[in-house]
Amino acid sequence: MRVVSLVPSLTEAVARTVPGALVGATDWCTHPAGLDVVRVGGTKNPKTDRILSLAPDLVIANEEENRAPDLDALRAGGVEVLVTEVRTVPQAFTELDRTLTACGAPSRPRWLDEAEAAWADPPVPERRATAVVPVWRRPWMVLGRDTFAGDVLARLGVDHLYAAHAERYPRIPVDALRAARPDVVVLPDEPYRFTADDGPEAFPGLPCALVDGRCLTWYGPSLAEAPRALAAALRAAHR
């Protein structure tokens, strides 16, 4: 089985579960460290000719991260494309199982069982909190409706204030974000790399939780550690 992955979290899942299956991955596929495969460009601008030259049996993609025209071009080149849809934690487990099976996994990996167990009883605070969750600045963009990261936070007792917005990643002026007066501002380190010196200063007087973007937005082996790591970061914001 020769697999090209266009989704960083799926790259990590396949590399860990079916060693040797991956022959190509995007420039953004950073896990596992030291992954030695052909790089095929970005998630939004993959080099389809390079992918086709690798003669993959399967390309794995995601309906949010990858563009339909690129996937259509791969299909036109005779390649099978598996497209995942992940907008909730339970969906992540289902799609990971489906993807790994398609990539030749002989059995369900232990890390997937551990991740599912971790999310069966996640750490939840006594009182639910409200949040805004920027994912970009210049312009400011936040989590909106129907997102995987939003479902992750909801399962940890955090309700983000734009969950009912018409858009999935709306652009909201920062003064409007401040005026919403959330209990906490959740600042991940991807896709925009928020840091202690880049992000919290825009929200004076509001607790800010700097969180691992991989734990918040990736669906793969990081799911096992995500509940504990995110809960700890959220608690730290209120100290």
Side-chain angles (χ1 to χ4, degrees), residues 55-89:
D57 300 300
L58 181 68
V59 172
I60 52 178
N62 175 263
E63 51 90 28
E64 178 178 12
E65 292 202 47
N66 308 118
R67 302 184 313 146
D70 295 321
L71 304 184
D72 289 342
L74 293 171
R75 292 189 186 98
V79 174
E80 180 181 355
V81 179
L82 185 156
V83 181
T84 58
E85 179 181 304
V86 179
R87 301 191 183 189
T88 67
V89 172

Side-chain angles (χ1 to χ4, degrees), residues 102-190:
C103 291
S107 61
R108 183 181 169 94
R110 177 178 295 180
W111 66 258
L112 188 53
D113 290 334
E114 292 172 350
E116 199 154 11
W119 281 102
D121 186 25
V124 179
E126 293 182 5
R127 184 179 69 86
R128 296 190 71 83
T130 60
V132 294
V133 189
V135 294
W136 202 259
R137 68 183 300 177
R138 305 183 192 94
W140 287 90
M141 299 174 66
V142 300
L143 291 186
R145 65 169 181 84
D146 198 21
T147 65
F148 173 71
D151 188 62
V152 164
L153 290 171
R155 292 170 188 275
L156 296 173
V158 178
D159 302 310
H160 72 93
L161 295 177
Y162 294 91
H165 197 280
E167 298 177 26
R168 297 185 68 201
Y169 299 97
R171 297 184 181 188
I172 308 292
V174 69
D175 56 349
L177 298 179
R178 289 191 291 258
R181 302 302 301 175
D183 295 321
V184 63
V185 179
V186 178
L187 297 170
D189 61 8
E190 63 173 77

